[in-house]
Amino acid sequence: MSQTAIIIGREFNERVRKKSFILSTILMPVFVIAMMVIPSLIMFYAKGGTKTVAVVDESGVIAPQLESDDDLMFVPVDAQLDSVRENMTEIFGILYIGAGILENPNDVRLYTNGSSAAMVESAITERIEDIIESEKLKQYDIHDLQSILAAVKTSVSLSVFRNEPDSEDELSSSTALSAGVGFALGMILYMFLIIYGAMVMQSVIEEKSSRVLEVMVSSVRPYQLMLGKILGVAAVAAVQIVIWGVLICGTCAVALPMIIPSDVAESVEAFQSGAVEAVSADVDMEVLKVVSTLSDTGYVASIFAWLLLFMVGGYLLYSALFAAIGSSVDSVQDASQFQTILMMPIIISIFVMMTIMNDPASPVAVWCSYIPFTSPIVMMARIPSGVPLWEIAVSLIILYATFAGTVWAAAKIYRVGIFMYGKKPTFKELWKWMRYKY
C-alpha cells in the first residue's frame, strides 16, 4: 500500500500543480452557468426585428382588434387580396381573414414574402383565437362582460409539500429550479467522467509508448500501478468538487442574505417555516421557492455531498475501464473503437436525463438510477427533485460494488496489455486476458 500511496501522490501533485487545474476549477462553474443562460440569450436575440403584416379582413371584425407589439406590427389594408399580394412584397407577409371567420375559424391564410416562422404563426393564431372567443361571448349579451372576466380571472400559486406523516410538513423546492440544478449536475458528471477517464487512458498510453511502464513494474505490481493512477486522479476531481461546494455554500450563506430585500427575506422565512398564508401577495411564489432553496445551506451542502459520492463512484468505474483500454493499445487512435463502446452508456444517460426534467419518477429514470453505468448521471439529475434516501443508498452500493468487480477485470487486462505492442487486440483476446491465471 505504501507503493500505491506514492503513485497516488505523484498523480495528484502532477495534476493539481498545473495551470489547467486552477483554470478549470475557476471556469467550470462559469461554464455551467453559461450553459444555462446562453440558450435563453440565443432565443432572445434570435427573434430578429419587428415583422410587418398587412391584414386584409373581409369580416371587418378581427383587424381592428389585432394589437401590435415589438415582434409583430399589423397594418389593416382596405384593398383586394390579389392587389395587396402583388404590391406589398417588401414586408413580412399578408394576413387574409375571410368574411365568415366567426362561423368558420379555418378561413385564415398567411402569405409570406420569405421564410415563415413557427413562433410568428403561433402568435398570430393565438390572437385571432382570443378575438373570436371574445366576439362569441358578446353574443350572450352580458352587460360589462370584459370587466366581469377581468375580475373573475385568478392566478393560483400551488404550494407542494412532502407527504411524510412522521415528520413536520416540508415544503418542496421549485420544480423549475430542481430541473435546472439536476440538469447542471448531470452535465458536470458527464464532463468529469469523460475528461478524467480519458486523462487516465492518455497517461497509460503515453507511459506505455515511452516504455516507462516496463521500468515501473519492476518495482510495483501492475495492479498497484493501475489503482494508484485511478485513485490519484480521483483525488484531483474530488478536490475540485469540494472547492466548488465550499465556494457556493459560502456564497449562499453570506452573500445571498445581503442582496435579498427585507420584504422578500420575511416572506422567505415564512415560506420556510410552512406559514404560506403569511407570504406577501406581492412576492412571486416561484421566485420565493428559488430564493428559499438557495438560502438553505444544508440543502446545498447535501447536494454537493451526493455529487462527490456519485462522481467518485462513477469515475472509479469508468477510469478502470479506460485504464484497461489504454494498456491494450499503442495510440489514442487505436483506442477509438473501444472508447466509442465505453461512451455509449454515458451518452444514453444524457438522453435519460432529458426525460427527468418532465418526470423524475418515470420507470426509465428509476431503473437507469440503479444501473451502475448510467446511475451517476441519472441519479444526480433526479436527486434535486426529491429521491428517497434508500434509493440513493441502493444506487451507491450497486455502483461501488460494480467498481470492485470491474477493477479486478480491468487489472487482468492491464497486467497483460502493458507488455503488448504492435497489435490492436480484439474483444476475444481481451476476454482471454481476463481469464489468465497468475
Side-chain angles (χ1 to χ4, degrees):
M1 288 305 298
S2 61
Q3 293 172 320
T4 305
I6 293 173
I7 298 171
I8 293 173
R10 184 255 180 188
E11 295 290 333
F12 178 80
N13 290 327
E14 181 185 359
R15 286 166 174 79
V16 168
R17 291 175 180 176
K18 289 183 177 179
K19 292 181 180 179
S20 58
F21 172 81
I22 300 173
L23 289 174
S24 62
T25 303
I26 297 172
L27 295 179
M28 184 64 78
V30 177
F31 175 76
V32 172
I33 294 172
M35 288 290 291
M36 299 172 67
V37 173
I38 286 176
S40 301
L41 293 176
I42 292 174
M43 291 296 293
F44 178 79
Y45 287 107
K47 291 181 179 179
T50 303
K51 294 177 174 58
T52 303
V53 178
V55 183
V56 178
D57 184 8
E58 294 188 354
S59 69
V61 176
I62 305 299
Q65 301 184 61
L66 283 173
E67 296 182 0
S68 302
D69 57 18
D70 294 337
D71 297 323
L72 288 171
M73 184 173 68
F74 297 99
V75 181
V77 179
D78 186 13
Q80 293 297 318
L81 177 61
D82 293 338
S83 174
V84 175
R85 290 181 61 186
E86 184 178 346
N87 297 319
M88 304 189 73
T89 58
E90 296 182 358
I91 61 173
F92 173 76
I94 298 99
L95 178 64
Y96 169 78
I97 299 170
I101 185 67
L102 297 180
E103 292 76 24
N104 181 16
N106 295 325
D107 194 10
V108 181
R109 283 170 274 171
L110 177 65
Y111 300 89
T112 61
N113 292 316
S115 300
S116 184
M119 294 182 65
V120 172
E121 295 172 11
S122 176
I124 293 174
T125 303
E126 288 176 3
R127 296 181 195 191
I128 295 176
E129 287 173 351
D130 291 341
I131 295 171
I132 293 174
E133 290 172 2
S134 178
E135 289 299 319
K136 287 183 177 181
L137 284 172
K138 288 179 182 179
Q139 296 175 4
Y140 289 91
D141 196 23
I142 301 175
H143 177 67
D144 203 15
L145 178 61
Q146 296 301 326
S147 300
I148 295 173
L149 291 175
V152 169
K153 189 174 181 180
T154 306
S155 178
V156 176
S157 294
L158 181 66
S159 299
V160 182
F161 291 82
R162 298 285 182 197
N163 187 23
E164 298 177 355
D166 298 332
S167 61
E168 296 181 5
D169 289 345
E170 181 183 351
L171 277 162
S172 176
S173 60
S174 165
T175 305
L177 178 65
S178 298
V181 171
F183 180 80
L185 293 174
M187 289 303 297
I188 288 174
L189 274 171
Y190 169 75
M191 290 184 288
F192 262 76
L193 294 180
I194 292 177
I195 293 172
Y196 283 98
M199 190 182 294
V200 172
M201 183 184 71
Q202 181 73 28
S203 175
V204 173
I205 292 175
E206 289 177 356
E207 291 178 357
K208 180 182 176 180
S209 301
S210 63
R211 305 296 176 103
V212 172
L213 287 178
E214 295 182 7
V215 178
M216 296 180 68
V217 294
S218 64
S219 304
V220 62
R221 293 169 57 194
Y223 174 78
Q224 293 175 316
L225 180 59
M226 186 188 78
L227 192 62
K229 281 184 171 296
I230 292 172
L231 295 180
V233 179
V236 176
V239 167
Q240 275 195 324
I241 289 182
V242 170
I243 292 173
W244 295 342
V246 171
L247 289 175
I248 293 178
C249 287
T251 301
C252 292
V254 178
L256 195 60
M258 297 173 63
I259 62 176
I260 298 176
S262 57
D263 57 334
V264 176
E266 292 174 3
S267 296
V268 168
E269 259 184 63
F271 183 82
Q272 290 176 335
S273 63
V276 182
E277 65 280 355
V279 174
S280 173
D282 298 330
V283 179
D284 184 88
M285 187 60 73
E286 193 64 27
V287 174
L288 190 62
K289 288 181 181 179
V290 172
V291 175
S292 176
T293 301
L294 294 178
S295 60
D296 186 352
T297 309
Y299 171 80
V300 177
S302 68
I303 290 293
F304 274 96
W306 293 127
L307 177 62
L308 182 62
L309 288 173
F310 277 101
M311 185 282 301
V312 171
Y315 162 77
L316 293 176
L317 176 63
Y318 277 98
S319 62
L321 297 174
F322 273 113
I325 292 173
S327 66
S328 62
V329 298
D330 296 333
S331 65
V332 177
Q333 290 75 17
D334 292 338
S336 58
Q337 174 189 355
F338 302 110
Q339 192 175 0
T340 301
I341 297 174
L342 193 56
M343 288 287 295
M344 288 304 297
I346 301 179
I347 295 172
I348 292 172
S349 301
I350 294 297
F351 287 113
V352 175
M353 184 180 70
M354 299 297 182
T355 67
I356 292 174
M357 300 179 73
N358 294 325
D359 185 6
S362 66
V364 173
V366 172
W367 281 108
C368 287
S369 299
Y370 299 137
I371 299 172
F373 293 97
T374 58
S375 63
I377 294 175
V378 175
M379 183 57 87
M380 274 313 306
R382 290 183 61 211
I383 285 177
S385 299
V387 178
L389 186 60
W390 69 266
E391 287 192 26
I392 302 176
V394 170
S395 180
L396 284 171
I397 291 170
I398 295 174
L399 178 61
Y400 281 87
T402 305
F403 160 69
T406 303
V407 76
W408 174 83
K412 291 269 192 176
I413 297 174
Y414 186 86
R415 68 194 307 170
V416 177
I418 56 177
F419 298 109
M420 295 292 182
Y421 296 95
K423 179 187 175 184
K424 184 171 68 174
T426 62
F427 288 102
K428 185 177 180 180
E429 288 175 321
L430 294 178
W431 174 248
K432 184 190 293 186
W433 293 357
M434 284 192 290
R435 296 173 61 191
Y436 283 160
K437 297 184 183 295
Y438 302 98

